[in-house]
Amino acid sequence: MIFSEVRAYLKSHRRASLTDMCHRFDIEADALRGMLDKLIAKQKVEKVARSEPACGGCSKCDSGNVEIYRWLQ
């Protein structure tokens, strides 16, 4: 159930941070990473490179500690 919810969330939001999704689904980061890894393997999602801005580039957060995932299709 939650796997399909994560997929739908990323599909509708286009990109989201791991922290935001952990709060949204009330799940531990490692468990969520496992689901995201399955979506990455299916080429539905990619982890955004750390060189890209985490969001809009406002610099209010430490982008080095933020994991962002992006829907590909």
Side-chain angles (χ1 to χ4, degrees):
M1 175 74 163
I2 194 164
F3 180 80
S4 61
E5 292 173 358
V6 169
R7 184 183 63 220
Y9 184 84
L10 268 174
K11 192 173 183 179
S12 68
H13 286 81
R14 309 303 295 165
R15 65 192 292 157
S17 73
L18 181 69
T19 303
D20 288 342
M21 290 186 284
C22 285
H23 290 292
R24 166 68 176 87
F25 297 107
D26 192 26
I27 189 171
E28 294 293 322
D30 287 337
L32 184 56
R33 280 188 194 103
M35 291 180 221
L36 292 165
D37 286 344
K38 288 180 183 180
L39 289 169
I40 290 169
K42 292 181 177 188
Q43 298 181 341
K44 303 281 186 186
V45 170
E46 73 176 351
K47 186 174 179 181
V48 175
R50 288 189 181 225
S51 62
E52 294 183 39
C55 55
C58 69
S59 303
K60 290 185 179 178
C61 63
D62 180 6
S63 62
N65 292 330
V66 177
E67 290 180 47
I68 301 292
Y69 293 86
R70 175 174 41 213
W71 184 258
L72 294 174
Q73 298 180 345

